[in-house]
Amino acid sequence: DLQLTQSPSSLSASVGDRVTITCRASQSISNYLNWFQQKPGNSPKLLIYVASSLQSGVSSRFSGSGSGTDFTLTINNLQPEDFATYYCQQSYITPWTFGQGTKVEIK
Amino acid sequence: QVQLQESGPGLVKPSQTLSLTCAVSGASISSGINYWSWIRQYPGQGLEWIGYISHSGSTSYNPSLKSRLSISVDTSKSQFSLKLSSVTAADTAVYYCARATYFYDPTDYGTPTFDYWGQGTLVTVSS
């Protein structure tokens, strides 16, 4: 299976900080990379698709970049509602796979 | 607004078959380029794609589950279903149904993307 490795696994940050999460694929996946946010007790929510396109209704504080094997999710001006777990996911090849998640906690 | 709703037993005995159904509203299950998917999440852990059935009725399964898995669709009821046989405690998880559809960037580069999810249902495998 194609592996997605996220780093870090968790981080502590303060409101107003800029946060960067990386996702590395075990082989090139072009731009077939999506990012999701999940809060406790909720289903994942789509944030970014095709590596860098912002889903409708999602705050512009979120941005994505990268192609090939290395991808980044950036959250600018971290807000209280952004504390959650973030997952990358590839649709390049089945089985579609997810990263292990990055938990963003309040410092 | 597209909505998905999982239903099925919350408790299944080991060696039995786990059966779940996902009711779809707000979208046609048989039109558009959609991949009606099942995804599970182990308690406190990450997400695993189980498989999908497409708008055309073709299926794709995670190889790790393929020998025990069946996904089907009932277009008359606008629902799709999951059957996982010979379950063990390792199959205990929250099971989500979700729709994947093609999303395109400004350059018309597209990828299947999960845009609508059910709320999830916890299935515990225990005697």
Side-chain angles (χ1 to χ4, degrees):
Chain A
D1 296 358
L2 194 151
Q3 304 294 324
L4 296 177
T5 303
Q6 289 182 231
S7 60
S9 296
S10 64
L11 64 90
S12 295
S14 300
V15 172
D17 283 354
R18 180 182 186 184
V19 167
T20 298
I21 299 169
T22 63
C23 177
R24 175 163 288 176
S26 57
Q27 67 181 77
S28 176
I29 58 172
S30 188
N31 285 2
Y32 286 72
L33 195 283
N34 308 308
W35 288 97
F36 295 86
Q37 175 195 66
Q38 187 179 31
K39 296 180 180 179
N42 288 353
S43 309
K45 171 188 174 184
L46 177 64
L47 299 176
I48 301 286
Y49 59 92
V50 197
S52 61
S53 292
L54 189 68
Q55 168 65 335
S56 176
V58 173
S59 170
S60 58
R61 295 181 291 99
F62 292 91
S63 63
S65 64
S67 66
T69 60
D70 294 309
F71 301 86
T72 299
L73 174 70
T74 300
I75 313 171
N76 288 303
N77 186 22
L78 196 69
Q79 294 298 298
E81 60 268 28
D82 301 334
F83 292 95
T85 300
Y86 294 86
Y87 295 93
C88 58
Q89 178 261 326
Q90 65 82 19
S91 306
Y92 179 75
I93 190 171
T94 58
W96 295 341
T97 50
F98 293 83
Q100 82 280 13
T102 295
K103 187 173 184 179
V104 177
E105 300 176 298
I106 301 173
K107 182 181 287 184
Chain B
Q1 176 75 347
V2 179
Q3 293 185 319
L4 293 87
Q5 176 75 54
E6 305 92 349
S7 61
L11 180 64
V12 181
K13 289 182 167 48
S15 79
Q16 293 190 342
T17 296
L18 182 162
S19 296
L20 295 173
T21 296
C22 181
V24 178
S25 60
S28 171
I29 205 168
S30 58
S31 64
I33 302 177
N34 295 312
Y35 303 90
W36 303 99
S37 301
W38 290 97
I39 297 155
R40 67 183 180 181
Q41 186 167 33
Y42 303 105
Q45 297 186 37
L47 297 152
E48 179 182 41
W49 174 75
I50 296 171
Y52 69 64
I53 186 162
S54 76
H55 56 288
S56 63
S58 63
T59 55
S60 179
Y61 297 155
N62 193 316
S64 67
L65 299 168
K66 189 173 184 177
S67 63
R68 301 191 289 131
L69 181 62
S70 175
I71 299 176
S72 60
V73 65
D74 185 338
T75 56
S76 67
K77 295 182 179 179
S78 192
Q79 63 187 34
F80 63 105
S81 299
L82 163 76
K83 290 188 186 299
L84 185 65
S85 63
S86 305
V87 296
T88 69
D91 295 308
T92 293
V94 174
Y95 286 76
Y96 294 99
C97 58
R99 184 184 81 167
T101 192
Y102 268 88
F103 276 61
Y104 296 89
D105 72 3
T107 68
D108 273 345
Y109 198 92
T111 181
T113 304
F114 299 111
D115 59 346
Y116 290 100
W117 298 65
Q119 85 282 1
T121 186
L122 174 63
V123 178
T124 301
V125 179
S126 175
S127 55

